[in-house]
């Protein structure tokens, strides 16, 4: 029995070392750059006056070089729950809370889809902001989320082989250049080939809307909390719809029955005195040269779109 | 509760600690503890259907006692009839009522008659096809005099509800498993350790392979109307790997978990895609079900001890019923029918050529020179999987028509997303199992050095964590 127990402990020790090594490797090397903008925000001087929050559509779509004093504090895949908690932490910081006077909040079709309400990738990063107990209670699974966050902290790479592959191929997170949170690499880069333009929109729309509730009650609730937080802290809000290709919009509306007017969220925003900026999001629909993929702008598109937002941010 | 959920490892750890904490000599207490744990495990999914397991267990335990008290032929027949009626009645109601009602309605409509039969939209209780067959085998074996009835309800209820195999098998025979509940179990470190390795391999197959193939297969089959022959062929191949890894993965987890508690559950899969003919395939695929149908359907019908035409009929009936067991849809009946046809063709071939397969199917290790026969057998099962996976017969026939008319075209649809990755995963799992085809499971590495063994186990853990899909997904066989 003793040799067996020793072998078990020996293997257990080896496995523990490997798993800890994998965890450190993933968080400090593979994914170090992904959350660099977050780190730089907190390290940077506290003179940000316009804070851009949201997911990859805002990340790709708002070029901070066009509007001084802005910071693009977004994360790919971020949902309103994560955005709310992050914003809460930022505004609770005395220096940054004081300097920020406008918050640019996304108002995209997919932002209110239920596909986002259960997706919390990289919980190990979001531990610093999100109260998982509150999120779990909202989703009827308070302990589940707490346990999930602990497990993710231990195994952040779990299920993320595609990210590891990207890193290994050098297409992941190399030393990139950021300007106040905005990635400056994607000048005219586009993946919107004719084939991608034919199939991509349906796949993207399916990813966001197939089998999902729209609008999702939890996303609506945390959107409301964001507006309420801004109201309480005296911040101005600009609700922005980021451009997508016409094909992407058509796929969402025609194939998945999404109402592009977003009446529910619009009514909710109106209660707080906000009206989403609707003038520009369809202006790029038939200009593929401004898109990286069917629903993300490239840098040229971001530059043009951000210039359109200037007058709404008092930067004519 | 699903095996591939966050709750299961916590549950397993607690049950393991509690079970062995009771002490190896206290069999009755351990069995009682297992019953509670198993009902908790099942009730986690839906506590309302616990009543059905308890009913099935109670009826067959009472029937067993009845057999002991009555030796008269009439009484014994009545008791057997009771067991059959209750178990098959419950199964038939929950699983087949709507199917037969709908099919009858469709048949009347085809004759120009209109009938508005009501359907119940009943929820199918998880595992019902498995535990009813398990309790039925107890009653039937007593009736046949193969086993004696037991008078210990705790052991019997524990045998029926034993959580590792409750919801998706293996379908255990009382003759094999029940005595294990009646004798003391001791914690055997080697057995438990090997059980953990088998569990790990089961999880790799389920979470890494099957769950990663699932979206590709779903995309192909849901878009089968516009997909080309090549896409459909690849999709069907990936499904064959998906269902094998999903089900055999579950069985590995179940068997490995059983070993943690000192139980030896039946082997359910013996590398079926290395079978050299259809008969051998059914000695390697879902062994517990195929032997159940052999012993309780095929043999009572006359088995092989009758004329060739009658034997062929017995084979067809057995396989069609086996197909129907899998689900309330004509596609499953067609799947079973096709396999029955394959078997009959093989029977006829043997009769006219005198060909005999050497040695027991599961004991002889396949060799590379058997590759052509393996390929033919695999191709035949692939054809049948089209029916198994399709939503309807018309979809299945449409897919087959496209595959055979234009096997190289991609078609106009979205294609097969992530298919390359799926093919790599399939190749890896087949290669590993080929190398280990003489073992009980792929992580049985006793012949390796300690360092190499540890490296393989560690690699399996890392592969499971890195490549696994962790959105909780049900096992395919839960729907049966």
């Amino acid at each position: 029995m003793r040799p067996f127990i020793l072998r078990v402990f020996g293997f257990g020790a080896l496995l523990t070392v490997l798993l800890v090594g994998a965890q450190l490797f993933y968080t400090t090397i593979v994914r170090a750059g992904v959350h660099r903008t977050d780190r730089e925000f907190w390290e940077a001087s506290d003179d940000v006056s316009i804070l851009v929050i949201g997911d990859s559509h805002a990340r790709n779509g708002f070029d901070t070089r066009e509007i001084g004093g802005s910071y693009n504090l977004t994360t790919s895949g971020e949902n309103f729950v994560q955005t709310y908690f992050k914003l809460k932490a930022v505004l609770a910081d005395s220096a940054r809370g004081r300097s920020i006077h406008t918050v640019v909040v996304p108002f995209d079709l997919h932002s209110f889809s239920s596909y986002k309400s259960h997706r919390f990738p990289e919980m190990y990063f979001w531990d610093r902001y999100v109260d998982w107990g509150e999120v779990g209670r909202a989703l009827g699974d308070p302990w589940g989320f707490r346990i999930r966050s602990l497990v993710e902290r231990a195994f952040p790479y779990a299920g993320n082989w595609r990210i590891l592959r990207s890193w290994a191929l050098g297409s992941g997170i190399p030393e990139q250049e950021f300007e106040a949170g905005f990635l400056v690499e994607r000048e005219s880069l586009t993946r919107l080939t004719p084939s991608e333009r034919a199939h991509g929109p349906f796949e993207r729309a399916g990813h966001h809307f197939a089998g999902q509730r729209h609008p999702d009650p939890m996303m609506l609730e945390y959107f409301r909390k964001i507006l309420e937080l801004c109201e309480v802290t005296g911040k101005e809000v600009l609700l922005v719809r980021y451009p997508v290709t016409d094909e992407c919009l058509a796929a969402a509306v025609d194939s998945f029955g999404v109402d592009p007017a977003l009446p529910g969220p619009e009514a909710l925003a109106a209660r707080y005195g906000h009206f989403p900026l609707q003038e520009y999001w369809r202006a790029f629909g038939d200009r593929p040269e401004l898109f990286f993929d069917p629903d993300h702008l490239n840098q040229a598109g971001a530059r043009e779109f951000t210039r359109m937002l200037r007058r709404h941010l008092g930067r004519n | 509760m699903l095996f591939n959920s966050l709750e299961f490892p916590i549950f397993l750890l607690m049950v393991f600690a509690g079970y062995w904490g009771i002490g190896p000599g206290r069999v009755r207490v351990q069995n009682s503890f297992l019953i509670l744990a198993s009902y908790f495990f099942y009730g986690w999914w839906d506590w309302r259907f616990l009543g059905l397991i308890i009913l099935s267990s109670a009826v067959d335990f009472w029937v067993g006692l009845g057999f002991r008290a009555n030796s008269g032929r009439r009484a014994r027949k009545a008791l057997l009839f009771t067991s059959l009626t209750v178990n098959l009645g419950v199964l038939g109601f929950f699983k087949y009522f709507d199917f037969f009602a709908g099919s009858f309605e469709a048949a009347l409509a085809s004759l120009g008659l209109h009938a508005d039969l009501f359907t119940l939209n009943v929820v199918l209780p998880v595992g019902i096809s498995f535990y009813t067959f398990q309790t039925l085998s107890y009653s039937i074996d007593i009736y046949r005099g193969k086993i004696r009835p037991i008078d210990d309800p705790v052991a019997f209820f524990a045998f029926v509800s034993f959580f590792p195999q409750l919801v998706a098998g293996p379908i255990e025979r009382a003759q094999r498993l029940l005595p294990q509940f009646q004798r003391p179990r001791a914690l055997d470190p080697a057995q438990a350790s090997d059980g953990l390795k088998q569990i790990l391999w089961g999880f790799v197959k389920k979470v890494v392979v099957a769950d990663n193939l699932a979206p590709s297969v779903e995309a192909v089959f849901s878009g089968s109307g516009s997909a080309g022959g090549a896409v459909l062929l690849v999709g069907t191949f990936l499904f064959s790997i998906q269902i094998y890894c999903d089900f055999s993965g579950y069985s590995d987890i179940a068997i490995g978990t059983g070993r943690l508690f000192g139980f030896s559950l039946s082997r359910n899969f013996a590398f079926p895609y290395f079978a050299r003919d259809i008969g051998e395939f059914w000695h390697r695929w879902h062994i517990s079900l195929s032997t159940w149908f052999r012993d309780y359907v095929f043999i009572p019908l006359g088995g092989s001890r009758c004329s060739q035409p009658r034997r062929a009929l017995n084979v067809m009936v057995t396989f069609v019923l086996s197909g129907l067991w899998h689900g309330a849809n004509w596609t499953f009946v067609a799947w079973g029918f096709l396999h029955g046809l394959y078997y009959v063709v093989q029977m006829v071939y043997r009769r006219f050529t005198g060909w005999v397969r050497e040695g027991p199917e599961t004991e002889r290790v396949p060799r590379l020179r058997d590759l052509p026969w393996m390929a033919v057998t695999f191709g035949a099962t692939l054809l049948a999987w089209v029916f198994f996976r399709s939503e309807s017969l018309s979809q299945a026939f449409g897919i087959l028509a496209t595959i055979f008319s234009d096997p190289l075209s991609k078609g106009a649809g979205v294609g097969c997303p992530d298919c390359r990755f799926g093919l790599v995963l399939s190749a890896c799992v087949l290669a590993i199992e080929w190398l280990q085809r003489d073992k009980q499971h792929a992580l049985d590495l006793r012949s390796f050095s300690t360092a190499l063994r540890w490296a393989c186990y560690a690699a399996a853990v890392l592969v499971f964590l890195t490549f696994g899909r962790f959105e909780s997904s049900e096992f395919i066989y839960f729907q049966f």
Side-chain angles (χ1 to χ4, degrees), chain A residues 6 21 76 80 108 115 154 227 278 284 290 297 301:
Chain A
L6 284 172
S76 289
F80 280 140
D108 299 306
Y115 97 97
L227 299 181
Q278 306 264 27
F284 293 19
L290 296 180
L297 292 169

Side-chain angles (χ1 to χ4, degrees), chain A:
Chain A
M1 188 71 159
R2 195 158 170 259
F4 176 79
I5 293 173
L6 284 172
R7 279 204 307 275
V8 169
F9 275 105
F11 178 73
L14 168 72
L15 191 63
T16 303
V17 166
L18 281 173
L19 293 179
V20 169
Q23 192 248 20
L24 288 172
F25 173 76
Y26 186 82
T27 54
T28 60
I29 295 174
V30 177
R31 294 303 269 170
V34 172
H35 303 294
R36 216 175 88 201
T37 56
D38 185 270
R39 192 175 70 241
E40 288 174 0
F41 174 78
W42 290 104
E43 288 170 355
S45 57
D46 45 9
D47 60 353
V48 174
S49 57
I50 298 168
L51 184 68
V52 181
I53 54 176
D55 61 9
S56 58
H57 290 233
R59 188 169 175 77
N60 286 18
F62 194 103
D63 187 341
T64 51
R65 294 173 300 176
E66 297 297 322
I67 298 182
S70 62
Y71 198 97
N72 191 318
L73 190 64
T74 56
T75 317
S76 289
E78 186 174 314
N79 61 30
F80 280 140
V81 176
Q82 293 159 311
T83 300
Y84 165 72
F85 282 104
K86 183 161 68 176
L87 182 64
K88 193 174 164 188
V90 169
L91 296 181
D93 177 83
S94 55
R96 289 166 183 81
R98 256 199 319 272
S99 72
I100 293 168
H101 64 67
T102 302
V103 181
V104 180
V105 181
F107 194 80
D108 299 306
L109 275 186
H110 69 283
S111 303
F112 298 95
S113 169
S114 64
Y115 97 97
K116 285 219 165 196
S117 63
H118 286 78
R119 284 166 56 93
F120 294 93
E122 298 187 294
M123 290 171 89
Y124 73 93
F125 166 75
W126 289 98
D127 273 348
R128 72 198 67 188
Y129 294 126
V130 179
D131 178 349
W132 295 115
E134 179 185 319
V135 174
R137 278 190 298 276
L139 288 170
D141 185 17
W143 281 105
F145 268 83
R146 287 198 181 100
I147 293 168
R148 263 180 67 183
S149 78
L150 287 173
V151 170
E152 274 235 16
R153 219 185 284 181
F155 310 110
Y157 49 87
N160 287 321
W161 66 272
R162 285 183 175 83
I163 292 174
L164 286 162
R165 180 184 62 181
S166 297
W167 175 83
L169 294 175
S171 57
I173 316 294
E175 277 305 308
Q176 295 163 323
E177 189 185 338
F178 288 97
E179 181 72 41
F182 179 69
L183 179 62
V184 299
E185 270 195 4
R186 292 182 173 179
E187 180 53 53
S188 308
L189 188 63
T190 183
R191 228 171 41 194
L192 206 57
T193 59
S195 166
E196 173 70 10
R197 210 172 168 189
H199 298 301
F202 182 80
E203 281 179 22
R204 299 293 303 161
H207 173 66
H208 291 144
F209 304 113
Q212 306 295 340
R213 283 182 76 172
H214 193 271
D216 176 76
M218 184 154 170
M219 291 298 101
L220 272 178
E221 172 56 15
Y222 276 88
F223 173 68
R224 187 200 66 74
K225 287 168 85 100
I226 290 169
L227 299 181
E228 187 179 63
L229 177 64
C230 292
E231 186 178 71
V232 162
T233 53
K235 307 302 174 192
E236 286 185 28
V237 170
L238 184 67
L239 296 177
V240 171
R241 275 189 130 168
Y242 291 88
V244 298
T245 58
D246 286 343
E247 292 89 349
C248 218
L249 176 63
V253 174
D254 300 336
S255 301
F256 300 101
V258 178
D259 185 348
L262 288 175
E266 203 166 337
L268 181 58
R271 282 193 349 230
Y272 289 87
H274 303 302
F275 300 93
L277 200 60
Q278 306 264 27
E279 290 95 322
Y280 313 117
W281 72 290
R282 298 192 66 170
F284 293 19
D286 61 350
R287 298 175 64 189
E289 70 276 12
L290 296 180
F291 286 89
F292 173 72
D293 63 27
D295 58 351
H296 292 91
L297 292 169
N298 60 18
Q299 188 168 284
R303 183 168 53 238
E304 195 165 323
F305 180 67
T306 311
R307 285 176 182 169
M308 290 174 172
L309 298 179
R310 265 193 191 150
R311 64 183 178 90
H312 300 281
L313 290 165
R315 295 284 202 276
N316 289 326

Side-chain angles (χ1 to χ4, degrees), chain B residues 449-469:
Chain B
S449 66
T450 302
L452 190 55
R453 272 205 323 274
W454 284 16
C456 289
Y457 301 146
V461 171
L462 285 171
V463 162
F464 163 72
L465 288 172
T466 310
F467 289 90
R469 271 178 75 102

